[in-house]
Amino acid sequence: MIGASNMNIRKLIITAAALAAGLAMAPAQAAGGGAHVERQSWSFGGIFGTYDTNQLQRGFQVFREVCSSCHSAHLISFRNLMEEGGPEFSEAQVRALALEYEVADITAESGRRPAVPADRWPSPFANDQEARDANGGALPPDFSVLAKARGVTDPFPTWIFNYFTGYQEGGPDYIHALLNGYHEEVPETAPHSADGTPFQLPEGKHYNDYFPGHAIGMAPPLADGVVSYAESEDGQSVPQTLEQYSTDVAAFMMWMAEPHLVSRKQTGFAVLIFLVLFAGLMYGTKRKIWAGIEH
Amino acid sequence: MSILLMVSRAGAGSVICASYGETDLSTQAEHSSTNRRDFLFVATGAVGAVGAAAVVWPLINQLNPDASTLALASIQYDVGPIAEGQSVTIMWRGLPVFVRHRTPKEIEEAQAVPMSDLKDPETDEARTKPGHEQWLIMIANCTHLGCIPVGESGDFDGWFCPCHGSHYDSAGRIRRGPAPKNLVVPPYEFLSDTLVQIG
Amino acid sequence: MSEHSTYVPGNAVEKWLDDRLPVVRFAKEHLMDFPTPKNLNYWWTFGAILVMCLGVQIVTGIILAMHYTPNVAMAFDSVEHIRRDVNGGRIIQATHAVGASMFFIALYIHMFRGLFYGSYKAPREILWILGVVIFLLTTATAFMGYILPWGQMSFWGATVISNIFTAIPLVGENIKQLVLGGFAVGNPTLNRFFSLHYLLPFIIAAVVALHIWALHVPGNNNPVGVEVKDSRDTVPFHPYYTMKDLYGMVLFMIPFAWFVFFAPDILGHPDNYVMANAQVTPAHIVPEWYLLPFYTILRAIDFNILFIDSKLGGVIAMGGAMLMLLIVPWLDTSKVRSGVFRPMFKWFFALFAINFVGLMYLGAQPAEGIYTVMAKVCTAYYFIYFLVILPVLSRIETPKPLPTSISESVLGKNAHA
């Protein structure tokens, strides 16, 4: 039993890892949560994941042509669109794009001037109240970090595995599911209230499988063919379907929320490789030093 | 602490000087000198403590709500536009406040509840103003841990707190769940038929 | 253990300095020559790991404060500004946020190590109490730090915790207003919590210095719990434990880096990416994981006890659960320190550790159905362990025979191996 003092290192690592996983708790179930959200295969998922530049450019097109008429993204600047690890538009493209928008500037003659790349993405409404009034009382959430403000709650033990796989794509999974989760009529699967009365959809709301409580203020924003993707240079065309749009825009939203994902993971590899190497050397040094000591 | 020590040390020094001049006095005089000396020590310490407290109190009191916060302590609100069966949430002292225009059914239900059914017994009359029974005005934070209950839900035709499952009835009284008290009715009065002053 | 200095000033300058301020002598005595039991296992490296964690938090925290704005209108966006625009800001911010979790993992392991090997027993009671003080200060610091990003969980966590004060009879509401600087969590709260969050780590560092001082008076406990008899039982701290601790730190940095670079948000809550809003409550308010065991104890008391209502009862239970650690040295009166030689204690301790993880799990679950029952059972065991099991075991348990010295136990083990 004195063997406890000779704690086997491998056992220690396993115990520490299990503790780390066990201690970190999964977020609680979302109240009135919807159906099970399917995991998608994202180019930026997993430890080797990076953004697909073409997908981000398509996602930006969907955002710009559809979403941005109601949703703001006030933390995004035009310049971000040309930065490395993002949609990587050229500087000329971004300058031309910015010129299409006007921003408020008290130093300008009329109080407004054309945008430059350093400006933030202009919001569609002046303030939250105006946004509510234009959208039947519901506030369209800002997109800047929305992909990280939504998530999927996994049951035990899946959430433990997530700590080891680094699964961080619950937000895009949820957004993709939401955009594909609309029903024109309240379906038979709709939950009954506690006293057994059938689901009542309030006026002006829409039924969605994945929205908590199922009654969402946003009308189905996307449908097959609403956005025209340009043909890529090699002549390959991307399907113009709801499925494709929702995947692309969810990916773009993830980039908006986490613009430095690619460089973060790249640095991470260097750091982890360094640490493992250094740990090996430290272990050798430690053993060498302790070699003559009974302990 | 160190200030007090310095003060009492200075006090001790002066007393010692004083007592040198009294060496030829009688034993009784020496005794009274000791008493006087004790008194001096205690008095010096007490005055020092008062001084320290006087310095510390403003340093703590600055933590209390400041003038700009207190200026919003009282608000006026016109409930006229709220239709029957509707609620609005307004902000008072940084807290959300429910203003509910109750339906006759809700008022009836609230008044019919026997006191013995209540965890925190309070009549509906005590929670509303006479002549304005249709208006229920109360702070929107659950008395358990401060979440905001959801209106027109729960098992008692009132409010339901999603955080830890407290049910409130149509007078905002706690009926089931962990909350210990009814939703708090803030101090308010009707200035006219529809103008309310809260706070 | 005071006369072990082998320091001889090497030249006239060192001699001059040594006569005036013997810092070099002090460092040599306490960081290099300090005699340390030679049988310490890897659980003992977490003390050094914690010093590293405190250092990481202070350095990254000072950097973050250079870019952060403590104002309710700007705090949320300024944290995003750090993540998006500050050079390397995403990594520094993630290190600070993940670092808080890693700090508590190490802190809990360090405390459970002390509880198992009886490191709180005479003559190390003050050492243990200072450790508990560090734990309480760290908890307060972490709680205040969690408000600063000004997300929904920041705001509502602070609201729930500050409402704990209102459970105090008569003056509760006034104390709450004094703490918050208003009638609810708001700008004054954010400002003062920022100020205190910056201050407290330096106070923690000062208490850590006392903690190490109190460690260096009796010297380290060790896995067999037998006091050091002579120099054959010890090795100098340097290079033996400096290298072992450094190795432990590097190993600890591997999961740390994993979270920072590959899953920086997995230990947080998505709702904290929504800016604080006093008018919308998140569906479930969940404190950070390291506070969950005590949150469960708070919620477990949902019944009145005599004249104490459930709310005050919960607060007393939660405070009691933390403060009870201060008197553990007097609850466990067994003369044997190490759990290795206590056949019954060992099992109750294992159950206590599992129970603690259980309390943590329950804190993240909604307070309903089977969970409330389990929360009460786990809370009861937490208190029974300290108040009943430890005192009773001290009287009825027959410990296994102890080795006469550390060197004997080491030799015996290696002979078997």
Side-chain angles (χ1 to χ4, degrees), chain B residues 46-102:
Chain B
V47 170
V50 168
V55 171
V56 168
W57 172 242
L59 298 179
I60 292 174
N61 188 38
Q62 56 81 24
L63 291 167
N64 270 316
D66 61 29
S68 66
T69 306
L70 292 171
L72 291 169
S74 161
I75 57 165
Q76 295 188 353
Y77 187 75
D78 182 14
V79 296
I82 306 172
E84 191 175 287
Q86 270 193 341
S87 310
V88 293
T89 307
I90 58 176
M91 295 303 283
W92 172 68
R93 295 186 173 183
L95 302 169
V97 172
F98 288 142
V99 181
R100 172 143 184 92
H101 193 163
R102 296 191 294 177

Side-chain angles (χ1 to χ4, degrees), chain A residues 222-235:
Chain A
L222 294 169
D224 291 352
V226 293
V227 178
S228 304
Y229 284 150
E231 257 186 30
S232 65
E233 281 158 20
D234 51 9

Side-chain angles (χ1 to χ4, degrees), chain A residues 1 4 7 24 28-29 47 74 79 144-145 148-149 163-164 168 256 258 260 264 268 279 289-290 294-295, chain C residues 38 43 77 80 83-85 90 240 243 247 258 261 264-267 270 273 284 340 364 410 413-414:
Chain A
M1 208 49 234
M7 175 58 74
Q29 301 280 338
I47 55 171
H74 77 284
R79 67 181 159 84
S144 309
V145 286
K148 290 197 292 186
Y163 292 101
F164 296 94
Q168 299 262 280
M256 282 203 278
E258 191 68 29
H260 300 306
R264 166 163 63 75
I289 284 171
W290 280 82
E294 294 266 21
H295 67 282
Chain C
K38 60 186 185 179
W43 297 117
D77 284 0
E80 275 303 315
R83 289 200 183 100
R84 286 160 189 276
D85 295 334
R90 180 63 176 118
Y240 294 99
M243 287 304 128
Y247 174 51
W258 165 260
F261 291 101
D265 294 317
I266 210 164
L267 297 164
Y273 276 107
H284 284 279
V340 172
V410 167
K413 176 187 69 187
N414 288 351

